Amino acid sequence: MDKLNMQSGDFVRSNVAKIATLFPQCVTERLNKDGKPELAIDFDKLRSELSDEIFGDSEERYQFTWPEKRKASHLANERTTMTLRPCREESVGKDGTPGGFDSENLYIEGDNLDVLKVIRETYLGKVKMIYIDPPYNTGNDFVYNDDFAVSRDEFEAHSGLFDEEGNQTVDPMVRNTESNGRFHTFWLNMIYPRLKVARDILTDDGVIFISIDDREISNITKLCDEIFGNSNFVCQFTWKSKLGKVGTTSTISAVHEYILCYAKNVDLVNFEMIVKQSDGRKENLRQWGVADRREDRPSMWYPITINGITVYPYKDNGTEGRWRVGEEMAKELLASNALVLGNKDGKYNIYRIFPKSESISAYTTLLLDDIGTTAKGAITLKELKLNKIFDFSKPVELIKHFVFLSKDKQGLYLDFFSGSATTAHAVMQLNSEDGGNRRFIMVQLTEETDKDSEARKAGYANICEIGKERIRRAGKKIKEEAGLQGQDLDIGFRVLKLDSSNMEDVYYTPEDFDANNIFSSIDNVKPDRTPLDLLFQVMPELNIELSAKIEEKEVIGKKVFFVDDTYLIATFDMDVNESTITGIAKMKPQYFVMRDASAANDNVLDNFEQIFRHYSPDTIRRVL
């Protein structure tokens, strides 16, 4: 039985393996930081393979760089031992039941870079659309306090961010003021690794929308050109975000923002189009206006008979006119029932009936007034009785427009700067309107609200509390307004919270042992962690989505988790015996996981493999 790694995947090793497949001659060996041999890339050889000319490091070339860019890039590939712990009591069921845990939507609290790295392997290539509204770097925004000088673990150990039990003690966000000499550098180092990881989890036809203003539009465009590729630039939307001169002392009123759109592969993107239906119109077959006389087109003067009544194209004044079409065309229209007889005040006319038509056109990059401004976003919050709780909330219509454009009613939608959770609101609203089954993942740091703010006065200690309450209220309102059509609507969400690993670092020096404990088993799970915590650390490692169906059952007296029926069966109870193992093996799961400390005795471990080989040899067994 193999051990679970209990940490995120090693994307550096994965990339090395890919390069080794293409250029085996560029792979060498070296000793890693632990003194063990590993494969590495000889970049000089790789450079020569990719160029027919000598290319020196000092040669001038187009590039976009800033201080510590390499460290920011490396941060995206660093592995993490962090885990996501479920919080049932704050979750909401599909039907809106408080504490329900069956929703396919996720609300994740924690540093979005660590969260993205934890879910990267599980959701690799699965997210249809990402929308983010990151800090705009206005000089008053908070940005994430990433550290680039030391490893993440070292930073957490020595920065005072966490105490000895792994609990967060320091706010991991700092204000990026304009007096900071590294103003743009700080912001770029924050956003760069997050976008790198985000690209990995987009579907091949997936897109990302990024809200931004004038200050960082040029930098983030260059950044996205590098991460997604300039060829995968889709467009730049312009959104009228303000009604007038708000928040500026300039003589020019800045009333707009931008939304950049990039694709993972622009050739695969298939956006929704505008479809207009026009009803069949009726048109008088007689020519009107210019050239309406018989002598203008003599061939157009002829009789048409309908229902036994023969009509000539006389003008209203009694003079001879002409038809719009020739005689042969008129016969074809008669045969197809496209001509009808009209009688007005004893005067007969012939009318042509045109069939219903459909026109298709593309949406434009100029977002029209029906999208609304941030004022509309404030009105939406007011309707939910959350007025003045969150500043500058995006209007639901803005994000709903982008979700609609992405053209996938079953897709997965992610926002890792979720703020007041407008994206979740937009997804639920659109599902109620078109019967879709879209799912969302919201990620938000537990950023504290200002102590003098209306939010704090209303009892919201941090942004996450606002976001979760907004989803609860919006979901309830949407479901009520949808009536019977919304009875199966998923308006819930599972709450997960980023935390340090569930596993203890168990290392003992000889002086730590004595005669009483030398043969005792060592429990490698932290004492405050629950079986459900362990399950949610196991699921990402086995590439099982965090929204998967989970059932708790009893098997031979032990609590057992069933994930997606029998795809994964796991138990973390103690004193598990052969009867429980046999009962589970007979169910033939794809995966089975248990703690190595769970076995009732050595005989259970001795017989474990034999039991599975007999009843379910194809089951993949793992221990932690």
Side-chain angles (χ1 to χ4, degrees):
M1 186 188 294
D2 296 328
K3 279 272 191 179
L4 288 164
N5 291 322
M6 307 306 281
Q7 59 183 323
S8 65
D10 190 340
F11 266 69
V12 172
R13 295 300 99 206
S14 175
N15 290 334
V16 169
K18 292 174 185 175
I19 293 175
T21 302
L22 295 173
F23 304 103
Q25 69 275 25
C26 298
V27 178
T28 185
E29 291 185 357
R30 69 177 182 186
L31 296 179
N32 65 17
K33 61 182 180 181
D34 298 320
K36 297 179 181 179
E38 67 176 5
L39 294 179
I41 301 299
D42 185 327
F43 287 100
D44 290 333
K45 286 186 178 180
L46 182 61
R47 186 183 291 117
S48 66
E49 291 291 334
L50 298 177
S51 176
D52 56 4
E53 297 180 4
I54 297 175
F55 189 80
D57 289 335
S58 61
E59 185 172 336
E60 291 182 349
R61 61 191 183 278
Y62 177 80
Q63 59 182 323
F64 177 52
T65 190
W66 63 89
E68 297 175 335
K69 178 183 178 181
R70 288 185 181 180
K71 292 180 180 178
S73 178
H74 177 70
L75 192 60
N77 291 327
E78 274 189 357
R79 305 179 79 174
T80 180
T81 59
M82 303 291 279
T83 188
L84 296 174
R85 300 179 64 187
C87 182
R88 277 183 179 271
E89 58 270 24
E90 296 179 23
S91 300
V92 176
K94 278 187 175 182
D95 60 357
T97 303
F101 210 61
D102 59 345
S103 175
E104 295 184 73
N105 301 316
L106 301 176
Y107 190 96
I108 306 177
E109 299 183 24
D111 183 318
N112 53 18
L113 180 56
D114 279 319
V115 171
L116 288 170
K117 288 195 284 188
V118 168
I119 71 173
R120 174 161 51 184
E121 285 185 274
T122 305
Y123 291 93
L124 197 68
K126 292 184 179 180
V127 174
K128 177 67 175 183
M129 188 201 95
I130 298 172
Y131 170 81
I132 58 171
D133 182 15
Y136 285 6
N137 218 21
T138 62
N140 294 305
D141 294 310
F142 285 95
V143 295
Y144 289 71
N145 189 19
D146 299 326
D147 183 85
F148 302 97
V150 296
S151 72
R152 188 75 177 176
D153 290 341
E154 290 175 310
F155 174 63
E156 290 174 356
H158 301 294
S159 67
L161 185 62
F162 293 88
D163 61 22
E164 292 180 358
E165 284 72 41
N167 299 313
Q168 184 177 302
T169 59
V170 176
D171 191 344
M173 300 194 80
V174 295
R175 195 179 294 277
N176 192 24
T177 63
E178 292 188 43
S179 60
N180 177 7
R182 293 156 28 105
F183 182 65
H184 293 291
T185 292
F186 204 178
W187 191 84
L188 288 167
N189 280 332
M190 181 276 294
I191 199 70
Y192 185 43
R194 289 163 174 82
L195 290 180
K196 282 196 66 177
V197 182
R199 183 189 178 278
D200 292 333
I201 62 180
L202 279 175
T203 58
D204 289 340
D205 62 346
V207 291
I208 184 170
F209 295 91
I210 306 171
S211 282
I212 203 72
D213 68 357
D214 300 85
R215 188 176 296 259
E216 294 294 344
I217 182 68
S218 60
N219 280 335
I220 202 164
T221 300
K222 293 173 187 174
L223 203 65
C224 289
D225 282 347
E226 179 173 316
I227 294 172
F228 296 94
N230 177 264
S231 61
N232 288 314
F233 170 74
V234 177
C235 64
Q236 178 177 303
F237 291 92
T238 301
W239 168 52
K240 184 179 179 182
S241 59
K242 300 174 184 176
L243 293 173
K245 187 176 179 181
V246 179
T248 176
T249 58
S250 170
T251 55
I252 301 296
S253 180
V255 296
H256 69 280
E257 294 178 14
Y258 305 103
I259 298 95
L260 279 180
C261 180
Y262 278 80
K264 189 159 186 187
N265 184 339
V266 73
D267 294 331
L268 300 178
V269 172
N270 182 24
F271 277 158
E272 191 63 75
M273 303 290 283
I274 300 173
V275 179
K276 290 184 178 180
Q277 301 280 353
S278 61
D279 294 332
R281 60 188 176 87
K282 185 170 71 172
E283 183 181 82
N284 196 317
L285 195 65
R286 181 168 61 80
Q287 178 69 34
W288 293 78
V290 180
D292 64 347
R293 300 173 304 171
R294 178 178 181 177
E295 55 265 35
D296 293 325
R297 294 289 298 275
S299 63
M300 300 293 196
W301 169 269
Y302 57 86
I304 295 177
T305 301
I306 298 179
N307 298 333
I309 297 175
T310 299
V311 181
Y312 281 88
Y314 282 103
K315 297 165 67 172
D316 291 344
N317 60 10
T319 61
E320 295 175 342
R322 49 161 285 228
W323 299 118
R324 292 176 183 270
V325 299
E327 193 166 2
E328 290 303 314
M329 180 65 174
K331 290 178 181 179
E332 293 178 12
L333 293 174
L334 274 172
S336 62
N337 296 316
L339 296 182
V340 296
L341 183 69
N343 183 356
K344 184 177 181 181
D345 299 329
K347 292 183 179 180
Y348 291 101
N349 281 298
I350 304 296
Y351 292 92
R352 179 178 179 180
I353 303 298
F354 287 86
K356 293 182 178 181
S357 63
E358 180 178 277
S359 63
I360 300 176
S361 59
Y363 285 90
T364 72
T365 57
L366 183 61
L367 300 176
L368 303 177
D369 287 343
D370 56 354
I371 291 292
T373 66
T374 53
K376 192 170 186 178
I379 291 171
T380 299
L381 290 180
K382 186 176 182 179
E383 291 171 348
L384 297 173
K385 294 182 171 55
L386 291 170
N387 49 307
K388 298 183 180 180
I389 297 299
F390 193 93
D391 295 329
F392 309 116
S393 177
K394 294 292 187 288
V396 172
E397 290 75 11
L398 177 70
I399 304 175
K400 192 174 75 171
H401 178 66
F402 298 137
V403 174
F404 171 75
L405 281 182
S406 64
K407 205 176 181 178
D408 188 348
K409 292 185 178 182
Q410 308 296 319
L412 182 59
Y413 295 81
L414 167 68
D415 185 341
F416 54 88
F417 286 94
S418 69
S420 66
T422 306
T423 300
H425 191 160
V427 169
M428 293 189 298
Q429 184 68 54
L430 192 56
N431 280 344
S432 75
E433 294 172 4
D434 65 10
N437 189 33
R438 303 169 185 87
R439 298 172 294 145
F440 64 74
I441 300 177
M442 300 293 103
V443 182
Q444 176 61 43
L445 189 73
T446 52
E447 178 187 346
E448 291 187 1
T449 54
D450 189 277
K451 63 180 181 180
D452 296 322
S453 66
E454 293 297 322
R456 181 67 67 89
K457 294 174 184 177
Y460 299 103
N462 57 62
I463 300 293
C464 293
E465 299 305 316
I466 298 173
K468 287 178 291 187
E469 185 60 21
R470 194 261 182 85
I471 302 174
R472 293 185 189 103
R473 297 187 186 191
K476 181 180 179 181
K477 184 173 185 287
I478 290 168
K479 195 174 183 72
E480 288 174 352
E481 292 175 349
L484 290 176
Q485 186 177 335
Q487 61 182 353
D488 296 324
L489 192 66
D490 187 349
I491 59 169
F493 53 93
R494 283 182 180 174
V495 174
L496 306 174
K497 299 188 179 187
L498 186 73
D499 207 333
S500 58
S501 174
N502 293 313
M503 315 308 291
E504 295 275 21
D505 289 329
V506 184
Y507 298 106
Y508 292 97
T509 58
E511 58 267 23
D512 293 322
F513 288 97
D514 58 34
N516 295 320
N517 67 15
I518 191 168
F519 294 113
S520 64
S521 64
I522 298 171
D523 193 351
N524 60 343
V525 177
K526 292 176 180 176
D528 66 328
R529 303 307 165 95
T530 68
L532 194 61
D533 288 335
L534 297 179
L535 181 67
F536 270 82
Q537 186 157 3
V538 166
M539 287 166 61
E541 186 158 342
L542 300 181
N543 292 325
I544 299 173
E545 291 192 12
L546 298 167
S547 59
K549 183 178 73 172
I550 299 171
E551 296 178 282
E552 295 181 22
K553 300 179 182 178
E554 188 173 291
V555 178
I556 320 296
K558 299 299 177 184
K559 184 168 72 173
V560 178
F561 293 103
F562 290 77
V563 181
D564 279 343
D565 297 319
T566 58
Y567 185 79
L568 165 64
I569 298 180
T571 182
F572 307 110
D573 273 9
M574 304 303 288
D575 298 320
V576 174
N577 57 32
E578 287 96 334
S579 298
T580 303
I581 300 296
T582 301
I584 291 172
K586 287 181 178 180
M587 299 176 192
K588 300 183 184 301
Q590 178 73 25
Y591 288 97
F592 171 68
V593 175
M594 66 180 286
R595 293 172 60 181
D596 56 0
S598 291
N601 51 56
D602 290 342
N603 288 335
V604 174
L605 295 177
D606 292 340
N607 296 330
F608 181 92
E609 291 293 340
Q610 184 178 348
I611 292 171
F612 267 95
R613 279 196 297 268
H614 179 72
Y615 291 105
S616 186
D618 294 330
T619 294
I620 300 170
R621 287 91 74 185
R622 295 284 188 268
V623 297
L624 56 87

